[in-house]
Amino acid sequence: MKHYIIAKLNEGVERDALIAPVTEIFEETLSIPGIHGVTVKPCCIDRPNRYDIMIEIDMDREALEAYDRSAPHKKWKEVYGGMLSAKTIFDSED
């Protein structure tokens, strides 16, 4: 399945500066059995009604629980949670 995290940053947070460190955090999830790939993408359109960053994790459905409990997931929430004005989580079968 694909697990998507789509986030809108607080005003004043520099989106482009976050791509590398956020990618680094999510690449740590590749050590979790059942996680096969991670992609972090910035939005290519700069408008107030757009979200800023999308994280896509390719994983087995059974890996979601381990991911939720993982150190990288907790780090993402602790370090970047306060920088987000909104967040959407979406899961799909590819």
Side-chain angles (χ1 to χ4, degrees), residues 34-67:
I35 295 187
H36 309 292
V38 172
T39 305
V40 178
K41 296 180 182 181
C43 183
C44 66
I45 301 294
D46 187 18
R47 290 189 180 170
N49 66 339
R50 299 293 196 269
Y51 277 51
D52 297 294
I53 190 170
M54 182 178 77
I55 301 153
E56 177 188 314
I57 305 172
D58 181 14
M59 68 169 71
D60 297 337
R61 182 183 289 247
E62 299 76 25
L64 185 58
E65 224 175 285
Y67 162 75

PDB file of all heavy atoms in Angstrom, residues 34-67:
ATOM      1  N   GLY A  34       8.873  -4.693   5.852  1.00  0.00           N
ATOM      2  CA  GLY A  34       7.628  -4.382   5.161  1.00  0.00           C
ATOM      3  C   GLY A  34       7.573  -2.988   4.575  1.00  0.00           C
ATOM      4  O   GLY A  34       6.642  -2.656   3.854  1.00  0.00           O
ATOM      5  N   ILE A  35       8.572  -2.150   4.868  1.00  0.00           N
ATOM      6  CA  ILE A  35       8.643  -0.825   4.230  1.00  0.00           C
ATOM      7  C   ILE A  35       9.636  -0.923   3.087  1.00  0.00           C
ATOM      8  O   ILE A  35      10.782  -1.322   3.276  1.00  0.00           O
ATOM      9  CB  ILE A  35       9.001   0.278   5.238  1.00  0.00           C
ATOM     10  CG1 ILE A  35       7.865   0.406   6.263  1.00  0.00           C
ATOM     11  CG2 ILE A  35       9.249   1.608   4.504  1.00  0.00           C
ATOM     12  CD1 ILE A  35       7.985   1.552   7.227  1.00  0.00           C
ATOM     13  N   HIS A  36       9.177  -0.563   1.894  1.00  0.00           N
ATOM     14  CA  HIS A  36       9.944  -0.799   0.678  1.00  0.00           C
ATOM     15  C   HIS A  36      10.510   0.453   0.034  1.00  0.00           C
ATOM     16  O   HIS A  36      11.457   0.368  -0.745  1.00  0.00           O
ATOM     17  CB  HIS A  36       9.062  -1.519  -0.345  1.00  0.00           C
ATOM     18  CG  HIS A  36       8.389  -2.724   0.217  1.00  0.00           C
ATOM     19  ND1 HIS A  36       9.074  -3.857   0.589  1.00  0.00           N
ATOM     20  CD2 HIS A  36       7.089  -2.956   0.526  1.00  0.00           C
ATOM     21  CE1 HIS A  36       8.224  -4.742   1.076  1.00  0.00           C
ATOM     22  NE2 HIS A  36       7.011  -4.217   1.054  1.00  0.00           N
ATOM     23  N   GLY A  37       9.953   1.619   0.325  1.00  0.00           N
ATOM     24  CA  GLY A  37      10.439   2.835  -0.309  1.00  0.00           C
ATOM     25  C   GLY A  37       9.833   4.071   0.320  1.00  0.00           C
ATOM     26  O   GLY A  37       8.755   4.009   0.912  1.00  0.00           O
ATOM     27  N   VAL A  38      10.554   5.172   0.172  1.00  0.00           N
ATOM     28  CA  VAL A  38      10.122   6.461   0.726  1.00  0.00           C
ATOM     29  C   VAL A  38      10.427   7.543  -0.302  1.00  0.00           C
ATOM     30  O   VAL A  38      11.506   7.559  -0.898  1.00  0.00           O
ATOM     31  CB  VAL A  38      10.868   6.790   2.034  1.00  0.00           C
ATOM     32  CG1 VAL A  38      10.576   8.194   2.493  1.00  0.00           C
ATOM     33  CG2 VAL A  38      10.532   5.788   3.118  1.00  0.00           C
ATOM     34  N   THR A  39       9.465   8.446  -0.498  1.00  0.00           N
ATOM     35  CA  THR A  39       9.666   9.602  -1.374  1.00  0.00           C
ATOM     36  C   THR A  39       9.146  10.839  -0.647  1.00  0.00           C
ATOM     37  O   THR A  39       8.050  10.812  -0.091  1.00  0.00           O
ATOM     38  CB  THR A  39       8.884   9.435  -2.694  1.00  0.00           C
ATOM     39  OG1 THR A  39       9.262   8.202  -3.307  1.00  0.00           O
ATOM     40  CG2 THR A  39       9.163  10.582  -3.644  1.00  0.00           C
ATOM     41  N   VAL A  40       9.937  11.893  -0.657  1.00  0.00           N
ATOM     42  CA  VAL A  40       9.526  13.173  -0.072  1.00  0.00           C
ATOM     43  C   VAL A  40       9.537  14.201  -1.194  1.00  0.00           C
ATOM     44  O   VAL A  40      10.552  14.365  -1.874  1.00  0.00           O
ATOM     45  CB  VAL A  40      10.477  13.599   1.076  1.00  0.00           C
ATOM     46  CG1 VAL A  40      10.057  14.945   1.641  1.00  0.00           C
ATOM     47  CG2 VAL A  40      10.494  12.529   2.174  1.00  0.00           C
ATOM     48  N   LYS A  41       8.401  14.872  -1.385  1.00  0.00           N
ATOM     49  CA  LYS A  41       8.284  15.824  -2.492  1.00  0.00           C
ATOM     50  C   LYS A  41       7.747  17.158  -1.999  1.00  0.00           C
ATOM     51  O   LYS A  41       6.770  17.199  -1.253  1.00  0.00           O
ATOM     52  CB  LYS A  41       7.310  15.300  -3.546  1.00  0.00           C
ATOM     53  CG  LYS A  41       7.747  14.037  -4.227  1.00  0.00           C
ATOM     54  CD  LYS A  41       6.707  13.617  -5.230  1.00  0.00           C
ATOM     55  CE  LYS A  41       7.110  12.325  -5.901  1.00  0.00           C
ATOM     56  NZ  LYS A  41       6.130  11.916  -6.900  1.00  0.00           N
ATOM     57  N   PRO A  42       8.353  18.259  -2.463  1.00  0.00           N
ATOM     58  CA  PRO A  42       7.770  19.574  -2.193  1.00  0.00           C
ATOM     59  C   PRO A  42       6.695  19.868  -3.239  1.00  0.00           C
ATOM     60  O   PRO A  42       6.732  19.347  -4.351  1.00  0.00           O
ATOM     61  CB  PRO A  42       8.958  20.523  -2.367  1.00  0.00           C
ATOM     62  CG  PRO A  42       9.818  19.838  -3.385  1.00  0.00           C
ATOM     63  CD  PRO A  42       9.645  18.359  -3.142  1.00  0.00           C
ATOM     64  N   CYS A  43       5.754  20.714  -2.876  1.00  0.00           N
ATOM     65  CA  CYS A  43       4.756  21.180  -3.836  1.00  0.00           C
ATOM     66  C   CYS A  43       5.450  22.072  -4.862  1.00  0.00           C
ATOM     67  O   CYS A  43       6.325  22.868  -4.514  1.00  0.00           O
ATOM     68  CB  CYS A  43       3.654  21.954  -3.108  1.00  0.00           C
ATOM     69  SG  CYS A  43       2.320  22.499  -4.201  1.00  0.00           S
ATOM     70  N   CYS A  44       5.064  21.945  -6.118  1.00  0.00           N
ATOM     71  CA  CYS A  44       5.714  22.738  -7.171  1.00  0.00           C
ATOM     72  C   CYS A  44       4.973  24.041  -7.460  1.00  0.00           C
ATOM     73  O   CYS A  44       5.416  24.829  -8.298  1.00  0.00           O
ATOM     74  CB  CYS A  44       5.864  21.906  -8.440  1.00  0.00           C
ATOM     75  SG  CYS A  44       4.306  21.458  -9.216  1.00  0.00           S
ATOM     76  N   ILE A  45       3.872  24.279  -6.780  1.00  0.00           N
ATOM     77  CA  ILE A  45       3.098  25.506  -6.954  1.00  0.00           C
ATOM     78  C   ILE A  45       3.039  26.226  -5.616  1.00  0.00           C
ATOM     79  O   ILE A  45       2.698  25.644  -4.594  1.00  0.00           O
ATOM     80  CB  ILE A  45       1.652  25.202  -7.420  1.00  0.00           C
ATOM     81  CG1 ILE A  45       1.645  24.435  -8.737  1.00  0.00           C
ATOM     82  CG2 ILE A  45       0.822  26.482  -7.520  1.00  0.00           C
ATOM     83  CD1 ILE A  45       2.173  25.206  -9.922  1.00  0.00           C
ATOM     84  N   ASP A  46       3.377  27.494  -5.608  1.00  0.00           N
ATOM     85  CA  ASP A  46       3.383  28.279  -4.368  1.00  0.00           C
ATOM     86  C   ASP A  46       2.121  29.137  -4.312  1.00  0.00           C
ATOM     87  O   ASP A  46       2.080  30.235  -4.850  1.00  0.00           O
ATOM     88  CB  ASP A  46       4.638  29.151  -4.307  1.00  0.00           C
ATOM     89  CG  ASP A  46       4.778  29.846  -2.966  1.00  0.00           C
ATOM     90  OD1 ASP A  46       4.139  29.412  -1.991  1.00  0.00           O
ATOM     91  OD2 ASP A  46       5.541  30.828  -2.900  1.00  0.00           O
ATOM     92  N   ARG A  47       1.085  28.581  -3.683  1.00  0.00           N
ATOM     93  CA  ARG A  47      -0.174  29.298  -3.489  1.00  0.00           C
ATOM     94  C   ARG A  47      -0.659  29.031  -2.073  1.00  0.00           C
ATOM     95  O   ARG A  47      -0.409  27.963  -1.509  1.00  0.00           O
ATOM     96  CB  ARG A  47      -1.237  28.813  -4.472  1.00  0.00           C
ATOM     97  CG  ARG A  47      -0.955  29.218  -5.898  1.00  0.00           C
ATOM     98  CD  ARG A  47      -2.132  28.892  -6.769  1.00  0.00           C
ATOM     99  NE  ARG A  47      -1.857  29.274  -8.143  1.00  0.00           N
ATOM    100  CZ  ARG A  47      -2.604  28.943  -9.158  1.00  0.00           C
ATOM    101  NH1 ARG A  47      -3.695  28.212  -8.974  1.00  0.00           N
ATOM    102  NH2 ARG A  47      -2.291  29.324 -10.370  1.00  0.00           N
ATOM    103  N   PRO A  48      -1.379  29.975  -1.502  1.00  0.00           N
ATOM    104  CA  PRO A  48      -1.828  29.812  -0.115  1.00  0.00           C
ATOM    105  C   PRO A  48      -2.745  28.607   0.116  1.00  0.00           C
ATOM    106  O   PRO A  48      -2.794  28.076   1.216  1.00  0.00           O
ATOM    107  CB  PRO A  48      -2.572  31.110   0.192  1.00  0.00           C
ATOM    108  CG  PRO A  48      -2.294  32.041  -0.913  1.00  0.00           C
ATOM    109  CD  PRO A  48      -1.751  31.264  -2.060  1.00  0.00           C
ATOM    110  N   ASN A  49      -3.448  28.163  -0.916  1.00  0.00           N
ATOM    111  CA  ASN A  49      -4.375  27.047  -0.730  1.00  0.00           C
ATOM    112  C   ASN A  49      -3.736  25.690  -1.035  1.00  0.00           C
ATOM    113  O   ASN A  49      -4.427  24.692  -1.131  1.00  0.00           O
ATOM    114  CB  ASN A  49      -5.634  27.236  -1.580  1.00  0.00           C
ATOM    115  CG  ASN A  49      -5.350  27.168  -3.059  1.00  0.00           C
ATOM    116  OD1 ASN A  49      -4.220  27.354  -3.506  1.00  0.00           O
ATOM    117  ND2 ASN A  49      -6.381  26.911  -3.845  1.00  0.00           N
ATOM    118  N   ARG A  50      -2.409  25.647  -1.165  1.00  0.00           N
ATOM    119  CA  ARG A  50      -1.707  24.400  -1.429  1.00  0.00           C
ATOM    120  C   ARG A  50      -0.993  23.919  -0.173  1.00  0.00           C
ATOM    121  O   ARG A  50      -0.521  24.714   0.641  1.00  0.00           O
ATOM    122  CB  ARG A  50      -0.639  24.577  -2.523  1.00  0.00           C
ATOM    123  CG  ARG A  50      -1.158  25.005  -3.867  1.00  0.00           C
ATOM    124  CD  ARG A  50      -2.004  23.905  -4.506  1.00  0.00           C
ATOM    125  NE  ARG A  50      -2.202  24.124  -5.911  1.00  0.00           N
ATOM    126  CZ  ARG A  50      -3.221  24.787  -6.439  1.00  0.00           C
ATOM    127  NH1 ARG A  50      -4.124  25.341  -5.662  1.00  0.00           N
ATOM    128  NH2 ARG A  50      -3.320  24.918  -7.739  1.00  0.00           N
ATOM    129  N   TYR A  51      -0.897  22.612  -0.038  1.00  0.00           N
ATOM    130  CA  TYR A  51      -0.053  22.026   0.999  1.00  0.00           C
ATOM    131  C   TYR A  51       1.384  22.069   0.503  1.00  0.00           C
ATOM    132  O   TYR A  51       1.637  22.249  -0.690  1.00  0.00           O
ATOM    133  CB  TYR A  51      -0.512  20.609   1.307  1.00  0.00           C
ATOM    134  CG  TYR A  51      -1.681  20.557   2.277  1.00  0.00           C
ATOM    135  CD1 TYR A  51      -2.828  21.318   2.067  1.00  0.00           C
ATOM    136  CD2 TYR A  51      -1.630  19.746   3.397  1.00  0.00           C
ATOM    137  CE1 TYR A  51      -3.880  21.275   2.954  1.00  0.00           C
ATOM    138  CE2 TYR A  51      -2.684  19.700   4.300  1.00  0.00           C
ATOM    139  CZ  TYR A  51      -3.802  20.472   4.067  1.00  0.00           C
ATOM    140  OH  TYR A  51      -4.846  20.428   4.952  1.00  0.00           O
ATOM    141  N   ASP A  52       2.355  21.942   1.400  1.00  0.00           N
ATOM    142  CA  ASP A  52       3.753  22.208   1.052  1.00  0.00           C
ATOM    143  C   ASP A  52       4.608  20.987   0.772  1.00  0.00           C
ATOM    144  O   ASP A  52       5.566  21.063   0.010  1.00  0.00           O
ATOM    145  CB  ASP A  52       4.408  22.996   2.196  1.00  0.00           C
ATOM    146  CG  ASP A  52       3.754  24.338   2.391  1.00  0.00           C
ATOM    147  OD1 ASP A  52       3.870  25.175   1.485  1.00  0.00           O
ATOM    148  OD2 ASP A  52       3.115  24.547   3.442  1.00  0.00           O
ATOM    149  N   ILE A  53       4.306  19.885   1.416  1.00  0.00           N
ATOM    150  CA  ILE A  53       5.191  18.725   1.328  1.00  0.00           C
ATOM    151  C   ILE A  53       4.354  17.451   1.348  1.00  0.00           C
ATOM    152  O   ILE A  53       3.337  17.382   2.028  1.00  0.00           O
ATOM    153  CB  ILE A  53       6.220  18.752   2.485  1.00  0.00           C
ATOM    154  CG1 ILE A  53       7.311  17.712   2.310  1.00  0.00           C
ATOM    155  CG2 ILE A  53       5.559  18.631   3.829  1.00  0.00           C
ATOM    156  CD1 ILE A  53       8.463  17.886   3.293  1.00  0.00           C
ATOM    157  N   MET A  54       4.801  16.451   0.560  1.00  0.00           N
ATOM    158  CA  MET A  54       4.136  15.156   0.557  1.00  0.00           C
ATOM    159  C   MET A  54       5.170  14.077   0.792  1.00  0.00           C
ATOM    160  O   MET A  54       6.224  14.051   0.142  1.00  0.00           O
ATOM    161  CB  MET A  54       3.435  14.890  -0.768  1.00  0.00           C
ATOM    162  CG  MET A  54       2.685  13.567  -0.776  1.00  0.00           C
ATOM    163  SD  MET A  54       1.798  13.242  -2.310  1.00  0.00           S
ATOM    164  CE  MET A  54       3.147  12.751  -3.365  1.00  0.00           C
ATOM    165  N   ILE A  55       4.863  13.199   1.725  1.00  0.00           N
ATOM    166  CA  ILE A  55       5.718  12.060   2.035  1.00  0.00           C
ATOM    167  C   ILE A  55       4.945  10.819   1.636  1.00  0.00           C
ATOM    168  O   ILE A  55       3.795  10.637   2.050  1.00  0.00           O
ATOM    169  CB  ILE A  55       6.065  12.037   3.537  1.00  0.00           C
ATOM    170  CG1 ILE A  55       6.771  13.338   3.919  1.00  0.00           C
ATOM    171  CG2 ILE A  55       6.900  10.807   3.876  1.00  0.00           C
ATOM    172  CD1 ILE A  55       6.599  13.733   5.351  1.00  0.00           C
ATOM    173  N   GLU A  56       5.545   9.992   0.805  1.00  0.00           N
ATOM    174  CA  GLU A  56       4.920   8.754   0.348  1.00  0.00           C
ATOM    175  C   GLU A  56       5.767   7.581   0.836  1.00  0.00           C
ATOM    176  O   GLU A  56       6.966   7.540   0.572  1.00  0.00           O
ATOM    177  CB  GLU A  56       4.833   8.725  -1.171  1.00  0.00           C
ATOM    178  CG  GLU A  56       4.272   7.435  -1.729  1.00  0.00           C
ATOM    179  CD  GLU A  56       4.383   7.386  -3.235  1.00  0.00           C
ATOM    180  OE1 GLU A  56       4.044   8.374  -3.908  1.00  0.00           O
ATOM    181  OE2 GLU A  56       4.819   6.349  -3.745  1.00  0.00           O
ATOM    182  N   ILE A  57       5.140   6.666   1.541  1.00  0.00           N
ATOM    183  CA  ILE A  57       5.834   5.480   2.022  1.00  0.00           C
ATOM    184  C   ILE A  57       5.173   4.264   1.384  1.00  0.00           C
ATOM    185  O   ILE A  57       3.964   4.062   1.521  1.00  0.00           O
ATOM    186  CB  ILE A  57       5.786   5.370   3.560  1.00  0.00           C
ATOM    187  CG1 ILE A  57       6.329   6.648   4.200  1.00  0.00           C
ATOM    188  CG2 ILE A  57       6.574   4.147   4.028  1.00  0.00           C
ATOM    189  CD1 ILE A  57       6.155   6.707   5.703  1.00  0.00           C
ATOM    190  N   ASP A  58       5.976   3.483   0.684  1.00  0.00           N
ATOM    191  CA  ASP A  58       5.504   2.236   0.080  1.00  0.00           C
ATOM    192  C   ASP A  58       5.723   1.139   1.108  1.00  0.00           C
ATOM    193  O   ASP A  58       6.859   0.871   1.499  1.00  0.00           O
ATOM    194  CB  ASP A  58       6.299   1.963  -1.201  1.00  0.00           C
ATOM    195  CG  ASP A  58       5.863   0.699  -1.903  1.00  0.00           C
ATOM    196  OD1 ASP A  58       4.795   0.148  -1.579  1.00  0.00           O
ATOM    197  OD2 ASP A  58       6.616   0.240  -2.788  1.00  0.00           O
ATOM    198  N   MET A  59       4.631   0.553   1.594  1.00  0.00           N
ATOM    199  CA  MET A  59       4.750  -0.436   2.667  1.00  0.00           C
ATOM    200  C   MET A  59       3.687  -1.514   2.540  1.00  0.00           C
ATOM    201  O   MET A  59       2.653  -1.313   1.911  1.00  0.00           O
ATOM    202  CB  MET A  59       4.634   0.239   4.035  1.00  0.00           C
ATOM    203  CG  MET A  59       3.256   0.814   4.356  1.00  0.00           C
ATOM    204  SD  MET A  59       3.032   1.332   6.079  1.00  0.00           S
ATOM    205  CE  MET A  59       4.057   2.775   6.184  1.00  0.00           C
ATOM    206  N   ASP A  60       3.984  -2.634   3.170  1.00  0.00           N
ATOM    207  CA  ASP A  60       2.964  -3.656   3.340  1.00  0.00           C
ATOM    208  C   ASP A  60       1.977  -3.144   4.380  1.00  0.00           C
ATOM    209  O   ASP A  60       2.369  -2.459   5.327  1.00  0.00           O
ATOM    210  CB  ASP A  60       3.585  -4.965   3.848  1.00  0.00           C
ATOM    211  CG  ASP A  60       4.571  -5.577   2.855  1.00  0.00           C
ATOM    212  OD1 ASP A  60       4.466  -5.283   1.648  1.00  0.00           O
ATOM    213  OD2 ASP A  60       5.446  -6.336   3.309  1.00  0.00           O
ATOM    214  N   ARG A  61       0.741  -3.472   4.215  1.00  0.00           N
ATOM    215  CA  ARG A  61      -0.289  -3.029   5.159  1.00  0.00           C
ATOM    216  C   ARG A  61       0.077  -3.413   6.596  1.00  0.00           C
ATOM    217  O   ARG A  61      -0.140  -2.662   7.538  1.00  0.00           O
ATOM    218  CB  ARG A  61      -1.622  -3.655   4.764  1.00  0.00           C
ATOM    219  CG  ARG A  61      -2.783  -3.243   5.621  1.00  0.00           C
ATOM    220  CD  ARG A  61      -4.045  -3.975   5.192  1.00  0.00           C
ATOM    221  NE  ARG A  61      -4.510  -3.480   3.918  1.00  0.00           N
ATOM    222  CZ  ARG A  61      -5.648  -2.804   3.757  1.00  0.00           C
ATOM    223  NH1 ARG A  61      -6.426  -2.568   4.778  1.00  0.00           N
ATOM    224  NH2 ARG A  61      -6.009  -2.379   2.569  1.00  0.00           N
ATOM    225  N   GLU A  62       0.661  -4.578   6.763  1.00  0.00           N
ATOM    226  CA  GLU A  62       1.022  -5.078   8.090  1.00  0.00           C
ATOM    227  C   GLU A  62       2.148  -4.274   8.739  1.00  0.00           C
ATOM    228  O   GLU A  62       2.361  -4.367   9.940  1.00  0.00           O
ATOM    229  CB  GLU A  62       1.438  -6.561   8.006  1.00  0.00           C
ATOM    230  CG  GLU A  62       0.345  -7.485   7.505  1.00  0.00           C
ATOM    231  CD  GLU A  62       0.116  -7.415   5.987  1.00  0.00           C
ATOM    232  OE1 GLU A  62       1.041  -7.038   5.239  1.00  0.00           O
ATOM    233  OE2 GLU A  62      -1.009  -7.719   5.565  1.00  0.00           O
ATOM    234  N   ALA A  63       2.886  -3.493   7.976  1.00  0.00           N
ATOM    235  CA  ALA A  63       3.996  -2.708   8.514  1.00  0.00           C
ATOM    236  C   ALA A  63       3.532  -1.402   9.156  1.00  0.00           C
ATOM    237  O   ALA A  63       4.309  -0.745   9.848  1.00  0.00           O
ATOM    238  CB  ALA A  63       5.007  -2.403   7.409  1.00  0.00           C
ATOM    239  N   LEU A  64       2.284  -1.028   8.961  1.00  0.00           N
ATOM    240  CA  LEU A  64       1.801   0.262   9.449  1.00  0.00           C
ATOM    241  C   LEU A  64       1.911   0.382  10.968  1.00  0.00           C
ATOM    242  O   LEU A  64       2.336   1.415  11.475  1.00  0.00           O
ATOM    243  CB  LEU A  64       0.358   0.503   8.997  1.00  0.00           C
ATOM    244  CG  LEU A  64      -0.234   1.863   9.343  1.00  0.00           C
ATOM    245  CD1 LEU A  64       0.587   3.000   8.746  1.00  0.00           C
ATOM    246  CD2 LEU A  64      -1.677   1.941   8.866  1.00  0.00           C
ATOM    247  N   GLU A  65       1.584  -0.664  11.670  1.00  0.00           N
ATOM    248  CA  GLU A  65       1.652  -0.611  13.129  1.00  0.00           C
ATOM    249  C   GLU A  65       3.093  -0.406  13.611  1.00  0.00           C
ATOM    250  O   GLU A  65       3.347   0.398  14.502  1.00  0.00           O
ATOM    251  CB  GLU A  65       1.067  -1.891  13.733  1.00  0.00           C
ATOM    252  CG  GLU A  65       0.154  -1.609  14.900  1.00  0.00           C
ATOM    253  CD  GLU A  65      -0.516  -2.863  15.412  1.00  0.00           C
ATOM    254  OE1 GLU A  65      -1.442  -3.347  14.741  1.00  0.00           O
ATOM    255  OE2 GLU A  65      -0.090  -3.333  16.474  1.00  0.00           O
ATOM    256  N   ALA A  66       4.035  -1.134  13.010  1.00  0.00           N
ATOM    257  CA  ALA A  66       5.448  -0.980  13.381  1.00  0.00           C
ATOM    258  C   ALA A  66       5.939   0.425  13.029  1.00  0.00           C
ATOM    259  O   ALA A  66       6.697   1.040  13.789  1.00  0.00           O
ATOM    260  CB  ALA A  66       6.300  -2.033  12.688  1.00  0.00           C
ATOM    261  N   TYR A  67       5.515   0.929  11.897  1.00  0.00           N
ATOM    262  CA  TYR A  67       5.868   2.296  11.507  1.00  0.00           C
ATOM    263  C   TYR A  67       5.344   3.303  12.534  1.00  0.00           C
ATOM    264  O   TYR A  67       6.075   4.199  12.963  1.00  0.00           O
ATOM    265  CB  TYR A  67       5.310   2.613  10.113  1.00  0.00           C
ATOM    266  CG  TYR A  67       5.255   4.083   9.839  1.00  0.00           C
ATOM    267  CD1 TYR A  67       6.410   4.796   9.546  1.00  0.00           C
ATOM    268  CD2 TYR A  67       4.047   4.774   9.917  1.00  0.00           C
ATOM    269  CE1 TYR A  67       6.361   6.166   9.337  1.00  0.00           C
ATOM    270  CE2 TYR A  67       3.996   6.134   9.705  1.00  0.00           C
ATOM    271  CZ  TYR A  67       5.151   6.827   9.417  1.00  0.00           C
ATOM    272  OH  TYR A  67       5.099   8.177   9.224  1.00  0.00           O
TER     273      TYR A  67
END
